[in-house]
Amino acid sequence: MTKILNYLWRFWLLLLAFVLTVIIGIPVYILSFNKKHYRYAYKFVRIWCYGMFYGMGFRYDLIKLSDQEKDKNKEYVFISNHTSIMDIMLTCILFPDHPICFVGKKELVKIPIFGTIYKRICVMVDRTSARSRADVYRRCAEKMEEGNSIAIFPEGGVPDDTSVILDDFKDGAFILSSKHHSPIAMYTFIGLKEMFLLKTAKGTLEGSKYISTELWSLPTLPETLKKRLIRK
């Protein structure tokens, strides 16, 4: 019975994604042609994320580990562990005042309709191409100069092995933060992966401090933050 419910739930996920993408994707696509209008496009992106997150029955609790408040006039590099597609929705929900540009896999461009919009508003990277990986820094820098923040999942994707709590970090987010002197805002998602198995009704989110890479030596930074992300 659980298996049948799981298939029905996933079918609803695809149907909801299709309907919301068709309806909300039109204004996002139009606004994306002018870089100055991305902050308006981002409002529609957040509506799409709200629809997906809550429409699929997800809920979250935010546990703040710091009293620091985000500066509305500053660009951040947001990082977190990556457990499911819902990590993306929740990231946008959490940051209404910081238009976010995601760094994502180039393969997602192949998804009908969604891919057309995706390549307009995200920084795509072909992980098999050294040139593409190197060019990410330039394109992210352009996005940040336009007033946007960057969201990167340092693991590089959702681990195939579901028993992996946290995979090895890539250096991209930390190099970007160091080069452009933008603080890193770190969050930990807990429970979203399990919700895909219909075992729980609510995920937990832990918000950590904003960290300036100037206080760290770059070679040790990813491993240091990785230890902070793992829930003890």
Side-chain angles (χ1 to χ4, degrees):
M1 185 62 179
T2 302
K3 190 173 183 179
I4 295 175
L5 290 174
N6 210 322
Y7 279 121
L8 289 174
W9 188 84
R10 290 172 184 271
F11 172 76
W12 171 244
L13 170 66
L14 295 174
L15 180 61
L16 182 63
F18 174 78
V19 172
L20 289 176
T21 301
V22 170
I23 296 175
I24 300 176
I26 294 174
V28 173
Y29 184 75
I30 294 174
L31 289 169
S32 68
F33 280 92
N34 189 325
K35 296 178 181 179
K36 296 180 180 179
H37 292 163
Y38 179 68
R39 62 176 53 253
Y40 304 113
Y42 183 66
K43 295 182 183 298
F44 287 99
V45 171
R46 293 188 71 243
I47 293 173
W48 183 84
C49 291
Y50 267 101
M52 287 297 301
F53 191 83
Y54 288 100
M56 291 308 303
F58 284 81
R59 301 294 184 270
Y60 73 91
D61 288 325
L62 175 61
I63 301 173
K64 298 187 69 173
L65 302 182
S66 169
D67 294 329
Q68 290 177 287
E69 296 295 335
K70 296 182 294 297
D71 186 342
K72 294 183 179 181
N73 300 313
K74 181 176 292 185
E75 293 75 43
Y76 291 87
V77 176
F78 294 112
I79 69 169
S80 73
N81 56 323
H82 199 13
T83 60
S84 75
I85 189 176
M86 288 299 161
D87 301 338
I88 299 170
M89 286 60 167
L90 188 49
T91 300
C92 288
I93 290 172
L94 288 169
F95 305 117
D97 301 315
H98 296 81
I100 294 175
C101 177
F102 284 90
V103 176
K105 298 182 292 186
K106 186 179 180 179
E107 301 89 90
L108 296 180
V109 174
K110 299 177 182 178
I111 301 176
I113 303 177
F114 173 84
T116 303
I117 303 169
Y118 171 78
K119 66 182 180 182
R120 297 286 312 174
I121 62 175
C122 296
V123 173
M124 298 175 295
V125 56
D126 181 357
R127 302 188 191 281
T128 64
S129 169
R131 172 180 289 184
S132 177
R133 294 196 303 270
D135 196 42
V136 164
Y137 303 115
R138 177 188 63 79
R139 287 177 287 162
C140 284
E142 292 177 353
K143 295 291 185 181
M144 297 183 82
E145 288 173 2
E146 294 164 10
N148 304 317
S149 292
I150 302 295
I152 302 178
F153 299 111
E155 296 170 273
V158 180
D160 294 327
D161 184 354
T162 56
S163 66
V164 174
I165 298 177
L166 197 65
D167 209 347
D168 293 334
F169 279 11
K170 308 296 189 297
D171 291 336
F174 311 101
I175 295 174
L176 179 66
S177 175
S178 179
K179 281 187 173 182
H180 299 284
H181 307 288
S182 298
I184 290 176
M186 181 176 61
Y187 289 78
T188 305
F189 297 125
I190 304 168
L192 293 180
K193 177 168 60 176
E194 286 74 15
M195 290 179 72
F196 271 88
L197 303 177
L198 304 177
K199 291 182 179 179
T200 182
K202 185 177 289 187
T204 302
L205 174 69
E206 292 191 352
S208 187
K209 294 182 178 180
Y210 307 131
I211 302 169
S212 171
T213 52
E214 295 174 359
L215 304 178
W216 306 80
S217 61
L218 191 60
T220 61
L221 178 60
E223 199 60 37
T224 304
L225 289 186
K226 182 174 179 178
K227 291 177 182 178
R228 292 194 179 192
L229 279 170
I230 296 177
R231 184 177 177 84
K232 300 300 182 182

